[in-house]
Amino acid sequence: MAKAEPPIVKRSLFSWIFAGNLKLQLLLMLIIAVMIFARIVPLEAQRRVVNEAIKLRNIDLLLLYCGLYLAAVVFSSVLKYLTNIIQTLITQRTTARMRKDLYQHILTLPLNFFRKTQPGTVVNALTTELTLPGNFVGMAVAAPVTNLLMLLGLAAYLFLLNPLLAAVSLSIYPIIIFLVPLLQRGANRANKKRVDAARTFSARIAESISGIHEIHGNGAYRIEGRKYNKLVDRLLKIRIVWSLYRFAVKTANGFFTSLGPFLVFLLGGYLTIKGQLELGALVAFLSAQERLFEPWKDLIEFYQVYQDGQVNYRRTMEFFDVAAEHEIEPRDRDALELEGSVEVKDLSFVTDSGIRLLDGINLSLKQGEHMALVGFSGSGKSTLALCIGQLYKYTSGSVMIGDKEVSGLTKKDMINNIGFVAQNPFIFDGTIEENILYSCRAKTGDNGQAEANEKMPTLDDTIAVLHQTGIFVDVLRFGLNAILTHDKHAELVDVIVRIRKNFQQDYGAELADYVEFFDENKYLYHSSVSENLTFGAPNKSKFTNQNLAKSEYFLNFLDTADLTRPLLSLGTNLCRQTVDILGNLPPDAVFFKQSPINADELEEFKVLEEHLRKKRLHELDAEDRHKLLELALRFTPGIHKMAALPEILEMLILEGRALFREKIAEDDPGAFTLYQMSEYIYSQTILNNIFFGKTKTSNPQAQEIINQSIIQLLIEEDLLEAIIEIGMHYQVGSKGDKLSGGQQQKLAIARIFLKAPRILIMDEATSALDNKAQTRIQNLLETRWKKKSTVVSVVHRLDTIKNYDKVAVMKAGKILEMGTYDELMARKGMLYELVGIK
């Protein structure tokens, strides 16, 4: 049996050097050995160029030794490049493994750890603090081996050239070896403070961003700014001290190594003058002495990387050196299939600070029974539910699920049998589908294998749960508001076009009061002038409604169609009427609903109206004409009822529509997808393609009739599931911020209902739902889940507990009374008081 690896927080930094990198490290040492030889060859070639080629005036020898020099330099450069590649590979692979292993360890830490730890601290540890340790591992073999061998090789060569000169020039290095560690200890102390300060700094940023609503709500910008500035100043001082020590190490090293050439010049020059040292040997000695500095400097830098990496690694691992409260997966057995009964005896829970949140709790539930936990805030309801679900490790007492003690079960055993819905559920960044299948994938292990996929819910199961939890309509809407692409959804396009035709045929008369369908022969009063002219969906940004008045092509078209002046006249009329009627009213959006001029544009158009009093249209400057034209193009008669569309202009626009279709098809065929009953509009949503028109009213009842009509057609065409599948790919955003609070809670309930656990724990799981949605979930619990799954529900609305098998009333961590709703109300005890207060 293979020996189990220790947890990452117990591993030393050195254990990573060869773990998973043995072959690369061995290859690296082989390359280094060859590279060192290749680096010494140019020194000997240099000596021979001076002593033999130049002295003997031999061109052939000069070319030979220069060629040998160049070949050695090129070869060593290639080998150096290879060592850099391998070092980088080792560094990045090791850093990635460290991050993966540490992240997996962090995920298993107790919830209590995360209550005391800011998210920024975890982020900083995973992204920043492991970088230096990873760099050290990448250098751990290459840097010392390369530079030590280079030092030894150069030292040997120096002694070969002249033992006395070599001994004198190398005498300074023992001083450096003593001095550098002394300075490095100061750098290490400062580095420890820097790591801790950076961790606190990241935590402060994360806290501020997480609480940005409170900061804005209270206008606490200066308060948070002062907190942040204080941390920045502290980090500044620490980093300055740390940098000073690091620079002191480099300066001391540079100073003493710079003494080497001085000694060589002094003693070597004397020996050369006295004829005791060849000139070529002196030149080679100086070159070797100069090259000696590079490996020594690299060794000092490696030493600093090691020290910094060691400090970072130790501080990080010490911080996260917390044991998981429970085993994650069982050893040598499969996860247990537990019975649904729950037995709690003398259960107590005391926090680290000594606060007793639960005190001697006793209760029992049979398979399929439902129990409501009620009481004032702080009574211990949620704590009890979390202890039953193994999310908190209780201090004393017993919780039995079936015949198994919860404290002895693994996490895998628990998730195999229990589902948990929190009051504030977390929705992960990704799709609806990824979130709704989250619990099921966790239960099956999400290993991508066929046997795991077979255990996953079918689409029918998912749709059923979407219906049950009331989020089906939302997912359908997400699907209907999706935009199809040519390559992925070609098979749906023909069906949707057919549904469009059926929609108008079957429901056109019924919806005539609510919908204005697109008709190329009619003016559309609930579309803008620009939309009536182009009668299509733009595929290029320059032709969108907001940019149309700036398009040179479109302006030339208006001139060609003799529409420029009539539209300027329309803009003038709209400007004058709006300023006349709304000019003295407060700039409130409610007054401007029937005007194409927005409230924030009123002052701008007041100035323009002044210009219109003094000048004729052709005398206006280009900017004023552009504003009038833009105003006319956004005019929508069915909405902006403050002014009427002249009949003659309506006819001109219809004629202009036909001309525009001809011109754009000839000049720029891909610019627009023109509205045609038989053509799908890829730039528009599925809903807009089916609808193929504009609503005349915002009446919710009318919208409901329209929606039901479309759903009926989708069912008839067997397209409903396909639209739901598309809706399931809707991206919910970070923390589900593209969903409302109610949608997030419905989605969280749906993912647990889809899992269908034997025991369901709901911690105020419907608090964000409206009464109708809450009643739906409660009815579902009382019908589909009764006698099938055991339910422990922390309840905030007491009108929903009447049909629970048991109601437990809690106060100060104790159960004061327990029984059926009717029994407890008849006693006129604590529950009776709570209901009366509510």
Side-chain angles (χ1 to χ4, degrees), residues 227-454:
K227 292 179 185 176
Y228 178 80
N229 292 345
K230 188 176 179 181
L231 288 174
V232 170
D233 292 340
R234 180 167 176 265
L235 186 60
L236 171 65
K237 293 175 183 177
I238 292 170
R239 289 190 68 92
I240 288 174
V241 173
W242 179 56
S243 298
L244 288 175
Y245 273 113
R246 287 169 59 85
F247 293 145
V249 171
K250 291 183 179 180
T251 303
N253 178 55
F255 172 74
F256 282 105
T257 52
S258 296
L259 291 176
F262 167 75
L263 296 174
V264 171
F265 281 126
L266 185 63
L267 181 58
Y270 175 79
L271 293 175
T272 304
I273 291 170
K274 291 295 185 180
Q276 298 175 20
L277 183 69
E278 295 175 334
L279 180 61
L282 177 61
V283 172
F285 201 100
L286 284 168
S287 295
Q289 175 73 29
E290 184 181 352
R291 295 195 181 190
L292 199 64
F293 304 151
E294 183 181 343
W296 181 255
K297 182 190 73 173
D298 289 345
L299 275 176
I300 295 297
E301 288 179 356
F302 168 71
Y303 178 70
Q304 284 192 313
V305 170
Y306 161 64
Q307 293 292 338
D308 293 343
Q310 182 80 324
V311 169
N312 278 30
Y313 185 80
R314 282 179 179 170
R315 299 299 278 185
T316 301
M317 297 309 157
E318 285 170 4
F319 185 81
F320 293 108
D321 190 5
V322 179
E325 291 179 332
H326 304 277
E327 289 284 339
I328 304 303
E329 294 189 353
R331 299 177 184 177
D332 306 322
R333 66 171 175 83
D334 294 330
L336 298 173
E337 298 289 336
L338 302 174
E339 295 178 17
S341 61
V342 177
E343 186 79 25
V344 178
K345 292 182 180 179
D346 298 323
L347 184 70
S348 294
F349 179 78
V350 182
T351 66
D352 295 339
S353 56
I355 300 173
R356 186 173 290 273
L357 299 181
L358 295 179
D359 187 7
I361 299 292
N362 291 279
L363 63 87
S364 65
L365 288 172
K366 296 177 183 177
Q367 165 73 37
E369 282 191 325
H370 292 194
M371 181 176 72
L373 298 175
V374 301
F376 290 112
S377 178
S379 60
K381 308 183 298 294
S382 296
T383 304
L384 175 56
L386 293 169
C387 284
I388 294 173
Q390 207 195 55
L391 294 178
Y392 285 173
K393 187 176 183 180
Y394 43 89
T395 311
S396 62
S398 170
V399 178
M400 303 288 290
I401 295 180
D403 59 350
K404 302 294 182 182
E405 177 68 41
V406 165
S407 61
L409 295 173
T410 67
K411 285 292 183 184
K412 183 66 174 174
D413 294 324
M414 294 299 290
I415 66 168
N416 215 39
N417 296 276
I418 289 183
F420 186 85
V421 186
Q423 179 181 359
N424 298 305
F426 193 91
I427 304 301
F428 294 90
D429 189 13
T431 65
I432 293 278
E433 181 183 38
E434 288 168 345
N435 273 280
I436 202 170
L437 295 177
Y438 190 79
S439 293
C440 295
R441 283 176 174 162
K443 181 179 177 179
T444 59
D446 195 25
N447 54 16
Q449 296 176 1
E451 60 269 23
N453 293 331
E454 287 174 4

Side-chain angles (χ1 to χ4, degrees), residues 655-666:
E655 290 178 6
R657 176 191 295 174
L659 179 60
F660 182 77
R661 300 187 90 172
E662 291 176 8
K663 283 188 64 62
I664 201 71
E666 182 179 342

Side-chain angles (χ1 to χ4, degrees), residues 12 38 100 103 106 116 125 133 166 221 257 268 271 290 295 302 337 344 371 385 467 499 762 769 817 822:
S12 70
K100 289 176 183 178
Y103 184 66
I106 290 171
K116 298 182 292 185
Y221 314 111
T257 52
L271 293 175
E290 184 181 352
F302 168 71
E337 298 289 336
V344 178
M371 181 176 72
H467 267 297
I499 291 175
M762 303 183 73
L769 303 183
E817 58 183 17
D822 292 337

Side-chain angles (χ1 to χ4, degrees), residues 755-801:
K755 179 182 176 181
R758 285 181 175 79
I759 298 174
L760 176 60
I761 298 175
M762 303 183 73
D763 186 6
E764 298 194 25
T766 58
S767 58
L769 303 183
D770 56 40
N771 290 341
K772 183 179 178 181
Q774 198 167 55
T775 301
R776 174 198 286 269
I777 299 299
Q778 191 59 43
N779 290 339
L780 190 63
L781 287 172
E782 294 171 5
T783 54
R784 186 174 183 274
W785 293 81
K786 208 65 173 279
K787 305 302 180 186
K788 292 182 180 178
S789 291
T790 307
V791 175
V792 177
S793 182
V794 178
V795 178
H796 69 289
R797 277 187 51 182
L798 298 181
D799 59 337
T800 64
I801 67 174

Side-chain angles (χ1 to χ4, degrees), residues 467-518:
H467 267 297
Q468 292 162 5
T469 53
I471 199 173
F472 174 84
V473 174
D474 298 300
V475 177
L476 178 61
R477 188 174 71 253
F478 296 147
L480 287 172
N481 285 324
I483 294 177
L484 301 184
T485 57
H486 292 267
D487 53 340
K488 291 184 179 179
H489 306 104
E491 71 284 355
L492 295 179
V493 166
D494 292 339
V495 182
I496 293 172
V497 170
R498 186 165 64 247
I499 291 175
R500 174 199 293 170
K501 294 176 182 177
N502 294 339
F503 181 60
Q504 292 198 18
Q505 290 173 5
D506 297 349
Y507 298 100
E510 181 183 342
L511 299 174
D513 294 335
Y514 308 135
V515 182
E516 183 179 55
F517 293 108
F518 292 153

Side-chain angles (χ1 to χ4, degrees), residues 696-708:
K696 297 180 181 180
T697 176
S698 58
N699 186 332
Q701 185 178 359
Q703 194 60 52
E704 181 65 21
I705 294 172
I706 294 168
N707 290 343
Q708 291 301 321

